[in-house]
Amino acid sequence: MPGMKLDRDSISDAYHDVRNDDTPSQWAVFDYDANEQLSCTKKGNDYSEAKALCEEDNRLYIFARIETGDELSKRAKFVLLTWIGERISPLKKARMSTDKSFVKQVVQNFAKELTTSEKSELDYDLIKREVQKAGGANYGTGK
């Protein structure tokens, strides 16, 4: 799409950093700057920090690591979240789905994709349950 400005390098670096088991990064935020270029603007290891960046007047993407499994087997799963604040113009809201296709050319592997404008839907435990449902069977000893 002409006009879509994507900092592929910053997004790719952040994507690989979050996926890497040897780094502390648990999430990365891809946000628009004043010139409408999308890039990685923040990374961190506490999901609540990423959630706090979601405001009514912004739009962004979050790529996050979610720890799943049971007491016998822990595994990392990944989720791509699209946040669209309530005060975003209809034109910018519409552009999010088109822009996301470009993000997904870089961020290719994730278990679940969610789009929301409700902060309650960004709750870590809720997202974890959605990722577990997408993963199928969840065995454990019940402990």
Side-chain angles (χ1 to χ4, degrees), residues 2-85:
M4 174 56 188
K5 296 177 250 171
L6 183 76
D7 182 350
R8 286 181 166 276
D9 291 338
S10 76
I11 292 172
S12 178
D13 290 349
Y15 167 71
H16 290 292
D17 189 44
V18 171
R19 289 191 58 85
N20 186 340
D21 292 334
D22 297 326
T23 64
S25 297
Q26 298 292 306
W27 57 267
V29 167
F30 313 134
D31 198 355
Y32 296 87
D33 67 15
N35 296 317
E36 291 295 305
Q37 178 169 313
L38 191 61
S39 64
C40 177
T41 55
K42 292 193 187 311
K43 295 187 293 185
N45 59 9
D46 181 351
Y47 175 77
S48 65
E49 295 170 353
K51 181 179 173 182
L53 297 171
C54 299
E55 300 290 341
E56 287 187 11
D57 61 350
N58 71 354
R59 60 197 168 117
L60 51 83
Y61 304 91
I62 301 171
F63 181 67
R65 172 185 286 264
I66 306 292
E67 295 298 328
T68 65
D70 52 45
E71 66 280 355
L72 299 175
S73 174
K74 300 284 183 199
R75 42 199 174 275
K77 298 289 183 179
F78 302 90
V79 63
L80 179 62
L81 305 170
T82 303
W83 169 259
I84 305 171

Coordinates of all heavy atoms in Angstrom, one line a residue, residues 2-85:
P2 N 0.8 2.1 -1.0 CA 1.6 3.3 -1.0 C 1.2 4.1 0.3 O 0.1 4.3 0.7 CB 1.1 4.1 -2.2 CG 0.4 3.1 -3.1 CD -0.1 2.0 -2.1
G3 N 2.3 4.7 0.8 CA 2.1 5.6 2.0 C 2.3 4.9 3.3 O 2.5 5.5 4.3
M4 N 2.2 3.5 3.3 CA 2.4 2.8 4.6 C 3.9 2.8 4.9 O 4.7 2.4 4.1 CB 1.9 1.4 4.5 CG 2.2 0.5 5.6 SD 1.6 1.2 7.2 CE 2.3 0.1 8.4
K5 N 4.2 3.4 6.0 CA 5.6 3.5 6.5 C 5.8 2.6 7.6 O 5.2 2.8 8.7 CB 6.0 5.0 6.8 CG 5.9 5.9 5.7 CD 6.1 7.4 6.1 CE 4.8 8.1 6.0 NZ 4.8 9.4 6.6
L6 N 6.7 1.6 7.4 CA 6.9 0.6 8.4 C 8.4 0.5 8.7 O 9.1 0.3 7.7 CB 6.3 -0.7 7.9 CG 6.4 -1.9 8.8 CD1 5.3 -1.8 9.9 CD2 6.1 -3.2 8.0
D7 N 8.8 0.6 9.9 CA 10.2 0.4 10.3 C 10.4 -1.1 10.5 O 10.3 -1.5 11.6 CB 10.6 1.3 11.5 CG 12.0 1.1 11.9 OD1 12.7 0.2 11.3 OD2 12.5 1.9 12.8
R8 N 10.6 -1.8 9.4 CA 10.7 -3.2 9.5 C 11.8 -3.7 10.4 O 11.7 -4.7 11.2 CB 11.0 -3.8 8.1 CG 9.8 -3.8 7.2 CD 10.2 -4.5 5.8 NE 9.1 -4.8 5.1 CZ 8.3 -5.9 5.2 NH1 8.7 -6.8 6.1 NH2 7.3 -6.1 4.5
D9 N 13.0 -3.0 10.4 CA 14.1 -3.4 11.3 C 13.8 -3.4 12.7 O 14.0 -4.3 13.5 CB 15.3 -2.6 11.0 CG 15.9 -2.9 9.6 OD1 15.6 -3.9 9.0 OD2 16.6 -2.0 9.1
S10 N 13.2 -2.3 13.2 CA 12.9 -2.2 14.6 C 11.8 -3.2 15.0 O 11.9 -3.8 16.1 CB 12.4 -0.7 15.0 OG 11.1 -0.5 14.6
I11 N 10.8 -3.4 14.2 CA 9.8 -4.4 14.5 C 10.3 -5.8 14.5 O 10.1 -6.6 15.4 CB 8.6 -4.2 13.5 CG1 7.9 -2.9 13.8 CG2 7.6 -5.4 13.6 CD1 6.8 -2.5 12.8
S12 N 11.2 -6.1 13.5 CA 11.8 -7.4 13.4 C 12.7 -7.7 14.6 O 12.6 -8.8 15.2 CB 12.5 -7.6 12.1 OG 13.2 -8.8 12.0
D13 N 13.5 -6.7 14.9 CA 14.4 -6.9 16.1 C 13.6 -7.2 17.4 O 14.0 -8.0 18.2 CB 15.3 -5.7 16.3 CG 16.3 -5.5 15.2 OD1 16.5 -6.5 14.4 OD2 17.0 -4.5 15.1
A14 N 12.5 -6.4 17.6 CA 11.7 -6.6 18.8 C 11.0 -7.9 18.8 O 10.9 -8.6 19.8 CB 10.7 -5.4 18.9
Y15 N 10.5 -8.3 17.6 CA 9.8 -9.6 17.5 C 10.7 -10.7 17.9 O 10.4 -11.6 18.7 CB 9.3 -9.7 16.0 CG 8.9 -11.1 15.6 CD1 7.7 -11.6 16.1 CD2 9.7 -11.8 14.7 CE1 7.3 -12.9 15.6 CE2 9.2 -13.1 14.3 CZ 8.1 -13.6 14.7 OH 7.7 -14.9 14.3
H16 N 11.9 -10.7 17.3 CA 12.9 -11.8 17.7 C 13.3 -11.7 19.1 O 13.6 -12.8 19.7 CB 14.1 -11.7 16.7 CG 13.7 -12.2 15.3 ND1 13.3 -13.4 15.0 CD2 13.6 -11.4 14.2 CE1 13.0 -13.5 13.7 NE2 13.1 -12.3 13.2
D17 N 13.4 -10.5 19.7 CA 13.8 -10.4 21.1 C 12.8 -11.0 22.0 O 13.1 -11.7 22.9 CB 14.0 -8.9 21.4 CG 14.6 -8.7 22.7 OD1 15.6 -9.4 23.1 OD2 14.1 -7.8 23.4
V18 N 11.5 -10.7 21.7 CA 10.4 -11.3 22.6 C 10.4 -12.8 22.4 O 10.1 -13.5 23.4 CB 9.1 -10.6 22.2 CG1 7.9 -11.4 22.9 CG2 9.1 -9.2 22.6
R19 N 10.6 -13.3 21.2 CA 10.6 -14.8 21.0 C 11.8 -15.5 21.6 O 11.7 -16.7 21.9 CB 10.5 -15.1 19.5 CG 9.1 -14.7 18.9 CD 8.9 -15.2 17.5 NE 9.1 -16.7 17.5 CZ 8.1 -17.6 17.7 NH1 6.9 -17.2 18.0 NH2 8.4 -18.9 17.6
N20 N 12.9 -14.8 21.8 CA 14.1 -15.4 22.3 C 14.0 -15.8 23.8 O 13.8 -14.9 24.6 CB 15.3 -14.4 22.1 CG 16.6 -15.0 22.4 OD1 16.7 -16.0 23.1 ND2 17.6 -14.4 21.9
D21 N 14.2 -17.0 24.1 CA 14.1 -17.5 25.5 C 15.2 -16.9 26.4 O 15.1 -17.0 27.6 CB 14.1 -19.0 25.6 CG 12.9 -19.7 25.0 OD1 11.8 -19.0 24.9 OD2 13.0 -20.8 24.5
D22 N 16.3 -16.4 25.8 CA 17.4 -16.0 26.5 C 17.4 -14.5 26.8 O 18.4 -13.9 27.3 CB 18.7 -16.3 25.8 CG 18.9 -17.9 25.7 OD1 18.5 -18.6 26.6 OD2 19.4 -18.3 24.7
T23 N 16.3 -13.8 26.4 CA 16.2 -12.3 26.7 C 15.1 -12.1 27.7 O 14.1 -12.9 27.7 CB 16.0 -11.5 25.4 OG1 14.8 -11.9 24.9 CG2 17.1 -11.7 24.4
P24 N 15.1 -11.0 28.4 CA 14.1 -10.8 29.4 C 12.8 -10.2 28.8 O 11.8 -10.1 29.5 CB 14.7 -9.8 30.4 CG 15.7 -9.0 29.6 CD 16.2 -10.1 28.6
S25 N 12.8 -9.7 27.5 CA 11.7 -9.1 26.9 C 10.5 -10.0 26.8 O 10.6 -11.1 26.3 CB 12.0 -8.6 25.5 OG 13.0 -7.6 25.6
Q26 N 9.3 -9.5 27.4 CA 8.1 -10.3 27.3 C 7.1 -9.7 26.4 O 6.1 -10.3 26.0 CB 7.5 -10.3 28.7 CG 8.3 -11.0 29.8 CD 8.4 -12.5 29.5 OE1 7.4 -13.2 29.3 NE2 9.7 -13.0 29.4
W27 N 7.3 -8.4 25.9 CA 6.4 -7.8 25.0 C 7.1 -6.7 24.3 O 8.2 -6.2 24.7 CB 5.2 -7.2 25.8 CG 5.6 -6.2 26.9 CD1 5.8 -6.5 28.2 CD2 5.8 -4.8 26.8 NE1 6.1 -5.4 28.9 CE2 6.2 -4.4 28.1 CE3 5.8 -3.9 25.7 CZ2 6.5 -3.0 28.3 CZ3 6.1 -2.6 26.0 CH2 6.4 -2.2 27.2
A28 N 6.5 -6.3 23.1 CA 7.0 -5.2 22.3 C 5.8 -4.4 21.8 O 4.8 -5.1 21.5 CB 7.8 -5.6 21.2
V29 N 5.8 -3.1 21.8 CA 4.8 -2.3 21.3 C 5.2 -1.7 20.0 O 6.3 -1.1 19.9 CB 4.4 -1.2 22.3 CG1 3.5 -0.1 21.7 CG2 3.7 -1.8 23.5
F30 N 4.3 -1.7 19.0 CA 4.5 -1.1 17.7 C 3.5 0.0 17.6 O 2.3 -0.2 17.6 CB 4.3 -2.1 16.6 CG 5.1 -3.4 16.8 CD1 4.4 -4.6 16.6 CD2 6.4 -3.4 17.3 CE1 5.1 -5.8 16.8 CE2 7.0 -4.6 17.5 CZ 6.4 -5.8 17.3
D31 N 4.0 1.2 17.5 CA 3.2 2.4 17.6 C 3.5 3.4 16.4 O 4.6 3.3 15.8 CB 3.4 3.1 18.9 CG 2.3 4.1 19.3 OD1 1.4 4.3 18.5 OD2 2.4 4.6 20.4
Y32 N 2.6 4.3 16.1 CA 2.7 5.3 15.1 C 3.4 6.5 15.6 O 3.0 7.0 16.7 CB 1.4 5.6 14.5 CG 0.6 4.5 13.9 CD1 -0.2 3.6 14.6 CD2 0.7 4.3 12.5 CE1 -0.8 2.6 14.0 CE2 0.1 3.2 11.9 CZ -0.7 2.4 12.6 OH -1.4 1.4 12.0
D33 N 4.3 7.1 14.9 CA 4.9 8.4 15.2 C 4.1 9.5 14.6 O 3.1 9.3 13.9 CB 6.4 8.5 14.9 CG 6.7 8.5 13.4 OD1 5.8 8.7 12.6 OD2 7.9 8.2 13.1
A34 N 4.5 10.7 14.7 CA 3.8 11.9 14.2 C 3.7 11.9 12.7 O 2.8 12.5 12.1 CB 4.5 13.2 14.6
N35 N 4.6 11.1 12.0 CA 4.6 11.0 10.5 C 3.9 9.7 10.1 O 4.0 9.4 8.9 CB 6.0 11.1 10.0 CG 6.7 12.4 10.3 OD1 6.1 13.4 10.1 ND2 7.9 12.3 10.7
E36 N 3.2 9.1 11.0 CA 2.4 7.9 10.7 C 3.3 6.7 10.4 O 2.9 5.7 9.7 CB 1.4 8.1 9.6 CG 0.3 9.0 10.0 CD -0.6 8.4 11.1 OE1 -1.1 7.3 10.9 OE2 -0.8 9.1 12.1
Q37 N 4.6 6.7 10.8 CA 5.4 5.6 10.6 C 5.3 4.6 11.8 O 5.3 5.1 12.9 CB 6.9 6.0 10.5 CG 7.8 4.7 10.3 CD 9.2 5.0 10.0 OE1 9.5 5.8 9.0 NE2 10.2 4.4 10.6
L38 N 5.1 3.4 11.5 CA 4.9 2.4 12.5 C 6.3 1.8 12.8 O 7.0 1.3 11.9 CB 4.0 1.3 12.0 CG 3.5 0.3 13.0 CD1 2.7 1.0 14.1 CD2 2.6 -0.7 12.3
S39 N 6.6 1.7 14.1 CA 7.9 1.2 14.6 C 7.8 0.6 16.0 O 6.8 0.9 16.7 CB 9.0 2.2 14.5 OG 8.8 3.3 15.4
C40 N 8.8 -0.1 16.4 CA 8.8 -0.6 17.8 C 9.2 0.6 18.7 O 10.2 1.2 18.5 CB 9.8 -1.7 18.0 SG 9.8 -2.2 19.7
T41 N 8.3 1.0 19.6 CA 8.6 2.1 20.4 C 8.9 1.8 21.9 O 9.6 2.6 22.6 CB 7.4 3.1 20.5 OG1 6.2 2.3 20.9 CG2 7.1 3.7 19.1
K42 N 8.6 0.6 22.3 CA 8.9 0.1 23.7 C 8.9 -1.4 23.7 O 8.2 -2.1 23.0 CB 7.8 0.6 24.7 CG 7.8 2.1 24.9 CD 6.9 2.5 26.1 CE 6.7 3.9 26.3 NZ 7.7 4.9 26.2
K43 N 9.7 -1.9 24.7 CA 9.8 -3.3 25.0 C 9.8 -3.4 26.5 O 10.3 -2.4 27.2 CB 11.0 -4.0 24.4 CG 11.0 -4.0 22.9 CD 12.2 -4.9 22.4 CE 13.5 -4.2 22.7 NZ 14.6 -4.9 22.1
G44 N 9.5 -4.5 27.1 CA 9.6 -4.7 28.5 C 9.4 -6.1 29.0 O 9.1 -7.0 28.2
N45 N 9.4 -6.3 30.3 CA 9.3 -7.7 30.8 C 8.1 -7.8 31.8 O 7.9 -8.8 32.4 CB 10.6 -8.2 31.5 CG 11.0 -7.3 32.6 OD1 10.3 -6.4 33.0 ND2 12.2 -7.5 33.1
D46 N 7.3 -6.7 31.9 CA 6.1 -6.7 32.8 C 4.9 -6.3 31.9 O 4.8 -5.2 31.4 CB 6.3 -5.7 33.9 CG 5.1 -5.7 34.9 OD1 4.0 -6.4 34.5 OD2 5.2 -5.1 35.9
Y47 N 4.0 -7.3 31.6 CA 2.9 -7.1 30.7 C 2.1 -5.9 31.1 O 1.5 -5.2 30.2 CB 2.1 -8.4 30.6 CG 0.9 -8.2 29.7 CD1 0.9 -8.2 28.3 CD2 -0.4 -8.0 30.3 CE1 -0.2 -8.0 27.6 CE2 -1.5 -7.8 29.5 CZ -1.4 -7.8 28.2 OH -2.5 -7.6 27.4
S48 N 1.9 -5.7 32.4 CA 1.1 -4.5 32.8 C 1.6 -3.2 32.3 O 0.8 -2.3 32.1 CB 1.0 -4.5 34.3 OG 2.2 -4.2 34.9
E49 N 2.9 -3.1 32.0 CA 3.4 -1.9 31.4 C 2.9 -1.7 30.0 O 2.6 -0.6 29.6 CB 5.0 -1.9 31.4 CG 5.6 -1.9 32.8 CD 7.1 -2.2 32.8 OE1 7.6 -2.5 31.7 OE2 7.7 -2.1 33.9
A50 N 2.8 -2.8 29.2 CA 2.3 -2.7 27.9 C 0.8 -2.3 27.9 O 0.4 -1.5 27.1 CB 2.5 -4.0 27.1
K51 N 0.1 -2.9 28.8 CA -1.3 -2.7 28.9 C -1.6 -1.2 29.2 O -2.5 -0.6 28.7 CB -1.9 -3.6 29.9 CG -3.4 -3.4 30.1 CD -3.9 -4.4 31.2 CE -5.4 -4.1 31.5 NZ -5.9 -5.0 32.6
A52 N -0.7 -0.6 30.1 CA -0.9 0.8 30.5 C -0.7 1.8 29.3 O -1.2 2.9 29.4 CB 0.1 1.1 31.6
L53 N 0.0 1.3 28.3 CA 0.2 2.2 27.1 C -1.1 2.4 26.3 O -1.2 3.2 25.4 CB 1.3 1.7 26.3 CG 2.7 1.6 26.9 CD1 3.7 0.9 26.1 CD2 3.2 3.0 27.3
C54 N -2.1 1.5 26.5 CA -3.3 1.5 25.7 C -4.2 2.6 26.3 O -4.8 2.4 27.4 CB -3.9 0.2 25.7 SG -2.9 -1.1 25.0
E55 N -4.5 3.6 25.5 CA -5.3 4.7 26.0 C -6.4 4.9 24.9 O -6.3 4.5 23.8 CB -4.5 6.0 26.1 CG -3.3 5.9 27.1 CD -3.8 5.9 28.5 OE1 -4.9 6.2 28.8 OE2 -3.0 5.4 29.4
E56 N -7.4 5.7 25.3 CA -8.6 5.9 24.5 C -8.2 6.7 23.2 O -8.9 6.6 22.2 CB -9.7 6.7 25.2 CG -10.4 5.8 26.2 CD -11.6 6.6 26.8 OE1 -12.0 7.6 26.3 OE2 -12.2 6.0 27.8
D57 N -7.1 7.4 23.2 CA -6.8 8.3 22.1 C -5.6 7.8 21.3 O -4.9 8.5 20.6 CB -6.5 9.7 22.5 CG -5.4 9.8 23.5 OD1 -4.9 8.8 24.0 OD2 -5.0 11.0 23.8
N58 N -5.2 6.4 21.4 CA -4.1 5.9 20.6 C -4.5 4.6 20.0 O -5.5 4.0 20.3 CB -2.8 5.8 21.4 CG -2.8 4.8 22.5 OD1 -3.8 4.1 22.8 ND2 -1.7 4.6 23.1
R59 N -3.7 4.1 19.1 CA -3.8 2.9 18.4 C -2.4 2.3 18.3 O -1.5 3.0 18.1 CB -4.5 3.0 17.1 CG -3.6 3.9 16.2 CD -4.5 4.4 15.0 NE -3.7 5.5 14.3 CZ -3.2 5.4 13.1 NH1 -3.5 4.4 12.3 NH2 -2.6 6.4 12.6
L60 N -2.3 1.0 18.6 CA -1.0 0.3 18.6 C -1.2 -1.2 18.5 O -2.3 -1.7 18.6 CB -0.2 0.7 19.8 CG -0.8 0.6 21.2 CD1 -0.7 -0.8 21.7 CD2 -0.1 1.6 22.1
Y61 N -0.1 -1.9 18.3 CA 0.0 -3.3 18.3 C 0.9 -3.7 19.4 O 1.9 -3.1 19.7 CB 0.5 -3.8 17.0 CG -0.2 -3.3 15.8 CD1 0.2 -2.1 15.1 CD2 -1.3 -4.0 15.3 CE1 -0.5 -1.7 14.0 CE2 -2.0 -3.5 14.2 CZ -1.6 -2.4 13.6 OH -2.3 -1.9 12.5
I62 N 0.6 -4.8 20.1 CA 1.4 -5.4 21.1 C 1.7 -6.9 20.7 O 0.8 -7.6 20.4 CB 0.7 -5.4 22.5 CG1 0.4 -4.0 22.9 CG2 1.7 -6.1 23.5 CD1 -0.5 -4.0 24.2
F63 N 3.0 -7.2 20.7 CA 3.4 -8.6 20.5 C 3.9 -9.1 21.9 O 4.8 -8.5 22.4 CB 4.5 -8.7 19.4 CG 4.9 -10.2 19.2 CD1 4.1 -11.1 18.6 CD2 6.2 -10.6 19.6 CE1 4.5 -12.4 18.4 CE2 6.6 -11.9 19.4 CZ 5.7 -12.8 18.8
A64 N 3.2 -10.1 22.4 CA 3.5 -10.5 23.8 C 3.8 -12.0 23.9 O 3.2 -12.8 23.2 CB 2.4 -10.1 24.7
R65 N 4.6 -12.3 24.9 CA 4.9 -13.7 25.3 C 4.0 -14.1 26.4 O 3.8 -13.3 27.4 CB 6.4 -13.8 25.7 CG 6.7 -15.2 26.4 CD 8.2 -15.1 26.9 NE 9.1 -15.1 25.9 CZ 9.8 -16.2 25.5 NH1 9.6 -17.4 26.0 NH2 10.6 -16.1 24.5
I66 N 3.3 -15.2 26.3 CA 2.4 -15.7 27.3 C 2.9 -17.1 27.7 O 3.1 -18.0 26.9 CB 0.9 -15.8 26.7 CG1 0.5 -14.5 26.1 CG2 0.0 -16.3 27.8 CD1 0.3 -13.4 27.1
E67 N 3.1 -17.3 29.0 CA 3.6 -18.5 29.5 C 2.4 -19.4 29.8 O 1.5 -19.1 30.5 CB 4.4 -18.4 30.8 CG 5.7 -17.6 30.6 CD 6.7 -18.2 29.7 OE1 6.8 -19.5 29.7 OE2 7.4 -17.5 29.1
T68 N 2.4 -20.6 29.1 CA 1.3 -21.5 29.3 C 1.8 -22.9 29.7 O 3.0 -23.1 29.9 CB 0.5 -21.7 28.0 OG1 1.3 -22.3 27.0 CG2 -0.1 -20.4 27.5
G69 N 0.9 -23.8 29.9 CA 1.3 -25.2 30.2 C 0.8 -25.5 31.6 O 0.0 -24.8 32.2
D70 N 1.4 -26.6 32.2 CA 1.0 -27.0 33.5 C 2.2 -27.3 34.3 O 3.3 -26.9 33.9 CB 0.1 -28.3 33.4 CG 0.8 -29.4 32.5 OD1 2.0 -29.6 32.7 OD2 0.1 -29.9 31.7
E71 N 2.0 -27.9 35.4 CA 3.2 -28.2 36.3 C 4.2 -29.1 35.7 O 5.4 -29.2 36.2 CB 2.7 -28.7 37.7 CG 2.1 -30.0 37.7 CD 0.6 -30.0 37.2 OE1 0.0 -29.0 37.0 OE2 0.1 -31.1 37.1
L72 N 3.8 -29.8 34.7 CA 4.8 -30.8 34.0 C 5.5 -30.2 32.8 O 6.6 -30.6 32.5 CB 4.0 -32.0 33.6 CG 3.3 -32.8 34.7 CD1 2.5 -34.0 34.1 CD2 4.4 -33.3 35.7
S73 N 4.9 -29.2 32.2 CA 5.4 -28.7 30.9 C 5.0 -27.2 30.7 O 3.9 -26.9 30.5 CB 4.8 -29.5 29.8 OG 5.2 -29.0 28.5
K74 N 6.0 -26.4 30.9 CA 5.8 -24.9 30.6 C 6.3 -24.6 29.2 O 7.3 -25.1 28.7 CB 6.6 -24.1 31.6 CG 6.3 -24.3 33.1 CD 5.0 -23.6 33.4 CE 4.7 -23.8 34.9 NZ 3.3 -23.6 35.2
R75 N 5.5 -23.8 28.5 CA 5.9 -23.4 27.2 C 5.5 -21.9 26.9 O 4.5 -21.5 27.5 CB 5.4 -24.3 26.1 CG 4.0 -24.8 26.3 CD 3.7 -26.0 25.5 NE 2.4 -26.4 25.8 CZ 2.1 -27.2 26.9 NH1 3.0 -27.6 27.7 NH2 0.8 -27.5 27.2
A76 N 6.2 -21.3 26.1 CA 5.9 -19.9 25.7 C 5.0 -20.0 24.4 O 5.3 -20.7 23.5 CB 7.2 -19.1 25.4
K77 N 4.0 -19.2 24.5 CA 3.1 -18.9 23.3 C 3.1 -17.4 23.1 O 3.4 -16.7 24.0 CB 1.7 -19.5 23.6 CG 1.6 -20.9 23.8 CD 1.9 -21.7 22.6 CE 1.7 -23.2 22.8 NZ 2.0 -24.0 21.6
F78 N 2.7 -17.0 21.9 CA 2.8 -15.6 21.6 C 1.4 -15.1 21.0 O 0.7 -15.9 20.4 CB 3.9 -15.4 20.5 CG 5.2 -15.9 21.1 CD1 5.6 -17.1 20.9 CD2 6.0 -15.0 21.8 CE1 6.8 -17.6 21.4 CE2 7.2 -15.4 22.4 CZ 7.6 -16.7 22.1
V79 N 1.2 -13.9 21.3 CA -0.1 -13.3 20.9 C 0.2 -11.9 20.2 O 1.1 -11.2 20.6 CB -1.0 -13.1 22.1 CG1 -0.5 -12.2 23.2 CG2 -2.4 -12.7 21.7
L80 N -0.6 -11.6 19.2 CA -0.6 -10.3 18.6 C -1.9 -9.6 18.9 O -3.0 -10.0 18.5 CB -0.4 -10.4 17.0 CG -0.4 -9.1 16.3 CD1 0.8 -8.2 16.7 CD2 -0.4 -9.4 14.8
L81 N -1.7 -8.5 19.6 CA -2.9 -7.7 20.1 C -2.9 -6.4 19.3 O -1.9 -5.7 19.0 CB -2.8 -7.3 21.5 CG -2.6 -8.5 22.5 CD1 -2.2 -8.0 23.9 CD2 -3.8 -9.3 22.5
T82 N -4.1 -6.0 18.8 CA -4.4 -4.8 18.2 C -5.2 -3.9 19.1 O -6.4 -4.3 19.4 CB -5.1 -5.0 16.8 OG1 -4.3 -5.9 16.0 CG2 -5.2 -3.7 16.1
W83 N -4.7 -2.8 19.5 CA -5.5 -1.9 20.4 C -5.9 -0.7 19.5 O -5.1 -0.1 18.8 CB -4.6 -1.4 21.5 CG -5.3 -0.3 22.3 CD1 -5.0 1.1 22.1 CD2 -6.3 -0.4 23.2 NE1 -5.8 1.8 22.9 CE2 -6.6 0.9 23.6 CE3 -7.1 -1.4 23.7 CZ2 -7.6 1.2 24.5 CZ3 -8.1 -1.2 24.6 CH2 -8.3 0.1 25.0
I84 N -7.2 -0.4 19.6 CA -7.8 0.7 18.9 C -8.6 1.5 19.9 O -9.7 1.1 20.3 CB -8.7 0.3 17.7 CG1 -7.9 -0.6 16.7 CG2 -9.2 1.6 17.0 CD1 -8.8 -1.2 15.7
G85 N -8.1 2.6 20.4 CA -8.8 3.4 21.4 C -10.1 4.0 20.9 O -10.3 4.2 19.7

